[in-house]
Each structure stands twice: as structure tokens, then as C-alpha cells.
Amino acid sequence: MKSSVARRSMTKRERKELREGLIFASPWIIGFLCFLLVPLVYSIYISLTNYNFLNTPKFIGIANYQKMLFKDPMIWHSLRITLIYALVSVPLQMIFAFILALLLNMPLKGVTIFRTIFYVPSLVVVVASSLLWRQMLNTDFGIINYILSLVGIPKVHWLANTGSIITSLVIIHLWGCGRAIIINLSGMQGIPTQLYEAAEIDGASKFRQVFAITIPMLTPTIFLNLLTGMIGAFKSFAMVNVLTQGGPNNASKFYMLYLFENAFKNYRMGYASAMSWLLFLIVAILTLMIFKSSNSWVHYSGGVDS
Amino acid sequence: MTVVKAKAEYHSMKSQRRIGHALAYIALCILAIIFVFPIFWLLSCSLKTYESIFMYPPKLIQFPLQFINYPDALTYETFPFLTFILNSIKVTLVSVVGAVLSSSLVGYSFSRLKWRGRNATFMLVVLTMIIPAEVVITPLYLLYNKIGWIDTYLPMIVPYFCGKAFYVFMMRQAMMGIPIEMDESARMDGCTSLQTWWIIIMPQAKLALIAVGIMALQDQWNNYLEPLIYINSQMKQTISVGLTYFSGSYQTQWHLVYAAAVLVVMPILILFAFMQKYFIQGVVVSGVKG
């Protein structure tokens, strides 16, 4: 009795606060419902139909999923190359961006100019940079093969097969790693200098300090880069589509390209929705794995900032 | 004796450091040249004639410089490039306004207002940041088709007015850092939440607002998948997809494609030159531990 009175008297204020809070948060809540939750639920339904945009959707059970998992080799092909790309490009970019950030964190004269230089490529509009690289990587008249020929390396067919296309994409990706560099750099600048001073007194070399201090202290940043990098790699679309359009002969048909093709070229909406759910599942599992593993390697120092 | 030894050690340490710095410089210089080269090449190609782009061996710079490529690209007959640019500017500006307004409102709710379930809801915001938007493109397309949004800019713009999760996250982090006494005294003076948000919080969160604005600008200017899917009429197309029209046609005028590409890249680079701090700010906040 007493508690219910107390609750009611609290609810009045609370209710007002709740109403106000919800009103201010309503743009996001509406967006969440309209642009994420409803489409997600709707896509479950579509994925169970044979909807092709012209017919009325007919319920076909899990046929799309069965076909996807057991009868469509292109799914596995596209998943495989996407996974290979992710496994190669993400760690490489993380290491590269880390080393560059280390260099850019040194007390060198003019270091801010270098920081700008390495950041600028990440500002280039993706389609423009893809068009540019497409020409630079051209086998016959591209500048890259020309430079390689100066040091005696024969012509490379950059955009000819899966391996070379992934290599090209990784190179372009490294070129545009400015964001990752700056994220690392800001993480490094948050490391208390006393740690390095103490290590200096103990006689630890610069090299050892990197492994004993910088990397452990930077693990939260590394963790974030890993997570966003992985998800980003699985969503790769614009660059590949402009660079090769999935070709030649599906050699670079990344998962998103195949999904796009099914949905918006062949209008197999049901099948494309099933593919979306597979993508969702894979990303969720990867995220979960990275999160689970983070307990053992991500080091949160208490109190520095939160 | 020991003093001499210590001195020698100090000197060797100093010279070691100097060698280290020299090596770092050399590495940075080489890498900087590699990083700058593609951008230089883009500029150089945009100032070449059609024939000299395909010359082998390629020339670093071809004189005379063809500045005419730029007006030519803008007035190219087959593809209305100027229209693409204007469309993009329109869509981007509206999106920036939407992103700044909505994310600051929502961020205000998650940082300054106290309501039941707030933190749980915020966890949901963080969670949705991990879900790739690409997962829902198919159902969204069908839904937009039902309500007649296809071939309009609404599918690209409206989500920006609904507080994209990442921008909300950024705003909330920034607003958490504003001293709570400021809104308490505003409340004391009888301000409503809305007034407090507008009068007290918005000016204080200026840095974050600009950073969110710049990120929204970059995101929308770069947007490729959405206009590709949702926009059918050529006259409504934005530049990212428009650029690929240019390069995908039967006889591609590559010198004009590069001039056009430079025109697309330039606004962002110029903005960066003036607002470096805010660009970096956005990235730094995004690096905050989750």
C-alpha cells in the first residue's frame, strides 16, 4: 500500500521526465523503428517468399535459405573472397596505420604536415579514387606498371583475377587509411607520459617500450579498429563495383555485389533478403567473437577517461 | 670515471636518438611521396588531352595544361555533370542540417535528461552502430516503393533527420562533458528543456556540432549505394553515381572524367584546409572507447 503510493507519487514526476526524454529522443526512436526494426522484420517475411517485384509474394518456406546454403556456389565464392579480403586487408591496415601513427607521434619537426599528407587520401570521394586507381592500375598504359617496369618488373595484370584484384584493393585501402592513423594517434596521445619516463629510467629501449607500453595501452583503440574494419570489409561495395563491377568472370564478385545483383538487377527480393540475413548472421558472429576475445587482450586502464 | 662513462652513455643515447629521427624522416618522406602521388596524378590527368592520357610511357605532366577540361566537363552534353553536382550539394546540405539538429536533440536526451530506461535505450543505440545498414536495403527498397519514395531524395535524406546512431553517440559523448551546473542554473531561471537545449547546450557543444556536420557532409557526399538504388532519372542523379556514368559510357572521355573527379574531390579538400581541427575531432571522438 505504502509503496504503491510512493510509486504513484514518483510516477507523476517520472512520467513527465519519461515523456520529455522520449520526445527529445524521438527522432532516433522513429528512425530506429522505421529504418531498421520494421525493415528487419519485413525482410524475414520476404526472405520466406519468392517475391520478384512483379508477382504477388508467395510463401515458399525456407526454400531461399536452402538454395542459398546448398545449391548456389556463387554464395560461397562471394563469401570466400570477401572473407579473404577481410582477413588480409584488416590486419594489414591495422599494422600499417599503427606504424605510421608511431612515426607521426614522434617529436619531429614538421610532423603536422606529414599528418595532413597521410590523412588527405581518406578524404577523396570513393568513386573518384576508384576511377583514378582503375587507370593507374591499367595493364598497358597504367603508371604503376610503368614504374615497376623501370625496376625490371614485368607487366602485372592488376585487375585480372581474384588474387590480384584483392591485392589491388588492399593497396588502395592502405592508401586511404588516414582515419585509422588519426584514431591510433589520438589513442597514443592519451597514454600518460609517466609510463614512458619510468620505462626510460629502467633502461627499456624505444623498441621495447612500444611492446610493453604503447600496444597494451592502445588495445581499446585496436579493438575498435578491428571491429569497424571487419564490418567495413564485409560491406565493401562502392570501390569494387567501380573498379571491376565484380568481373572479370565473377573474379571479384564480393558478397555485397552479389546481393545487389540479386536484389536490383534480377529482382529476386526474397533471395536477396535471405542473403541479407546471412550477412547479418556472419557479422553478428564475428562481432561476438571479437567481443568475447577482447576480455583476454583488451586492457582498459581504470580512470584515464571513460 | 663514472661521470665520464655516464657522459659517454648520454652522448651515445643522444646520437642514437638522432639516427632514429633521421630514419623516421626518411621513412616518412618516402611514404609521403607515395601517398601524395595518386592525388598529383589525378590533377595531372585532369589537365591532359585525351590522347596523352593513354600515352606510354606516361608523362608526369603534359604541357600545355588543358584547363579547358574543367569547363568542358561541366558542360558535357551526354551527361549533365553540373546538374549532378547541384543535386549533390542540395542533398548534402539538407542532410547536414538534419544530422546536426536530430543528433543534438537525441544526444541531449541521452546525456542531460533523466528518464527511466534511458541507459538501456542508449545501449540499443550503440548496438545498432554495429548492424550494417546494408542488411536492410532490400526490404527498405520495397517499403519505399510502396510509399512512393523511389526516385526521390527522401530515402537518402530522411534518415539523417532521424539521428543516425553514430552521430547520436558522438553528440552524447560531447554533451556529457558540459558541466551540469550550467543547465541547473538555466532551470533555476525557469528555462524549459527545449530552451536549455537551445540556449545552453547548443553553444557549448559547438565543436561536436561542427564535427557531426562535417561527418554527415562527407558521408552524404560520398554516398554511392543509395543513389544507385533509389534514383532512376538521370537528371536527379548525384555526383558519385554521375561520375560512373561518365566513365562507363561507350567512348569515355577520360580527360573529362578526371577533371570532373577533381571537381568532386575539391570541395572536401578545401573544407578540410579550413576546418582541419573539426575533421580530426570527429575521428578522435569515434576512437573513444565504446
Side-chain angles (χ1 to χ4, degrees), chain A residues 74-275:
Chain A
M74 191 56 78
I75 290 273
W76 299 108
H77 171 72
S78 65
L79 264 184
R80 211 193 72 205
I81 58 176
T82 309
L83 190 67
I84 292 174
Y85 171 68
L87 289 180
V88 176
S89 78
V90 175
L92 264 182
Q93 198 200 39
M94 284 170 64
I95 295 167
F96 187 67
F98 177 78
I99 293 172
L100 263 176
L102 271 183
L103 289 173
L104 293 173
N105 200 28
M106 288 171 77
L108 301 170
K109 229 181 228 165
V111 80
T112 45
I113 298 171
F114 283 113
R115 285 181 192 163
T116 308
I117 288 176
F118 291 116
Y119 186 65
V120 161
S122 69
L123 298 172
V124 176
V125 174
V126 177
V127 173
S129 86
S130 309
L131 287 170
L132 168 68
W133 281 93
R134 193 164 106 187
Q135 195 244 12
M136 297 208 313
L137 291 168
N138 187 290
T139 313
D140 294 321
F141 57 84
I143 182 87
I144 290 178
N145 273 354
Y146 173 68
I147 292 171
L148 292 179
S149 77
L150 293 181
V151 289
I153 297 171
K155 278 183 177 170
V156 181
H157 295 267
W158 289 103
L159 302 177
N161 60 55
T162 307
S164 62
I165 292 170
I166 288 181
T167 312
S168 309
L169 286 170
V170 168
I171 293 172
I172 302 172
H173 199 54
L174 287 181
W175 177 66
C177 73
R179 266 180 183 234
I181 295 175
I182 301 290
I183 291 176
N184 276 327
L185 202 54
S186 72
M188 284 175 188
Q189 285 177 349
I191 302 174
T193 47
Q194 302 97 284
L195 293 177
Y196 293 105
E197 283 157 15
E200 201 96 340
I201 289 166
D202 290 345
S205 67
K206 287 277 173 215
F207 192 68
R208 224 183 113 50
Q209 287 176 25
V210 169
F211 286 93
I213 301 171
T214 315
I215 291 180
M217 291 298 285
L218 212 63
T219 43
T221 309
I222 295 172
F223 167 71
L224 206 94
N225 276 341
L226 176 64
L227 198 64
T228 52
M230 268 292 166
I231 296 171
F234 268 89
K235 310 198 298 191
S236 304
F237 179 79
M239 188 166 282
V240 200
N241 200 38
V242 175
L243 216 54
T244 64
Q245 278 139 343
N249 280 324
N250 301 326
S252 59
K253 186 151 283 169
F254 278 53
Y255 193 78
M256 271 308 295
L257 267 78
Y258 189 45
L259 200 162
F260 177 85
E261 180 185 296
N262 273 314
F264 302 109
K265 283 187 186 155
N266 303 332
Y267 293 109
R268 296 198 290 183
M269 294 298 185
Y271 196 59
S273 295
M275 279 187 73

Side-chain angles (χ1 to χ4, degrees), chain B residues 3-289:
Chain B
V3 175
V4 175
K5 206 176 159 192
K7 245 187 183 170
E9 215 164 70
Y10 176 73
H11 274 290
S12 87
M13 231 173 82
K14 223 178 158 185
S15 68
Q16 225 176 28
R17 180 155 299 177
R18 208 171 289 155
I19 293 171
H21 281 194
L23 286 177
Y25 259 121
I26 294 169
L28 282 176
C29 284
I30 294 173
L31 285 169
I33 292 170
I34 297 173
F35 266 66
V36 167
F37 183 77
I39 292 170
F40 161 78
W41 192 244
L42 177 65
L43 274 175
S44 150
C45 285
S46 76
L47 296 169
K48 285 180 178 175
T49 58
Y50 177 77
E51 292 76 25
S52 54
I53 283 178
F54 295 96
M55 229 155 44
Y56 195 88
K59 268 194 179 162
L60 281 184
I61 301 176
Q62 177 75 38
F63 291 106
L65 298 178
Q66 305 290 317
F67 288 103
I68 186 80
N69 288 350
Y70 288 87
D72 279 359
L74 284 174
T75 54
Y76 193 53
E77 279 163 32
T78 324
F79 300 112
F81 188 70
L82 190 63
T83 313
F84 297 155
I85 286 198
L86 291 176
N87 290 342
S88 266
I89 290 176
K90 209 161 55 188
V91 170
T92 305
L93 287 184
V94 176
S95 303
V96 167
V97 172
V100 169
L101 272 181
S102 64
S103 66
S104 65
L105 272 174
V106 180
Y108 176 68
S109 177
F110 282 124
S111 62
R112 313 306 277 208
L113 302 176
K114 291 184 185 65
W115 42 283
R116 187 175 277 183
R118 184 187 80 168
N119 292 343
T121 316
F122 186 67
M123 277 309 293
L124 197 61
V125 175
V126 175
L127 201 71
T128 60
M129 276 163 53
I130 312 173
I131 300 175
E134 283 75 1
V135 168
V136 290
I137 49 168
T138 320
L140 271 180
Y141 181 86
L142 295 173
L143 291 171
Y144 290 148
N145 189 51
K146 276 194 183 131
I147 55 175
W149 280 18
I150 299 298
D151 210 25
T152 73
Y153 297 128
L154 292 172
M156 294 154 67
I157 290 173
V158 175
Y160 278 82
F161 279 84
C162 292
K164 290 206 166 191
F166 188 67
Y167 306 155
V168 169
F169 177 77
M170 268 184 76
M171 285 314 302
R172 187 247 185 195
Q173 299 303 93
M175 287 178 180
M176 292 292 263
I178 302 169
I180 192 88
E181 293 81 29
M182 298 203 66
D183 23 343
E184 273 165 6
S185 63
R187 298 286 181 156
M188 222 79 96
D189 294 342
C191 280
T192 62
S193 295
L194 196 66
Q195 285 167 324
T196 315
W197 166 71
W198 184 248
I199 300 167
I200 307 294
I201 301 295
M202 288 295 262
Q204 287 289 318
K206 210 168 67 189
L207 280 182
L209 290 173
I210 297 175
V212 165
I214 284 180
M215 276 190 2
L217 185 140
Q218 245 186 310
D219 287 351
Q220 189 64 284
W221 194 253
N222 244 316
N223 200 349
Y224 170 75
L225 183 60
E226 284 180 316
L228 185 65
I229 293 172
Y230 300 128
I231 306 294
N232 302 326
S233 344
Q234 198 184 72
M235 290 307 283
K236 287 186 187 168
Q237 200 46 271
T238 61
I239 43 156
S240 266
V241 181
L243 259 185
T244 62
Y245 284 173
F246 243 88
S247 64
S249 66
Y250 173 56
Q251 263 201 331
T252 303
Q253 302 287 312
W254 280 104
H255 56 306
L256 299 186
V257 172
Y258 290 115
V262 170
L263 289 175
V264 172
V265 174
M266 268 311 150
I268 303 272
L269 289 187
I270 291 171
L271 202 70
F272 175 71
F274 286 105
M275 307 184 99
Q276 277 201 43
K277 200 169 99 191
Y278 306 104
F279 272 84
I280 307 290
Q281 169 111 348
V283 180
V284 170
V285 173
S286 68
V288 165
K289 327 172 170 174

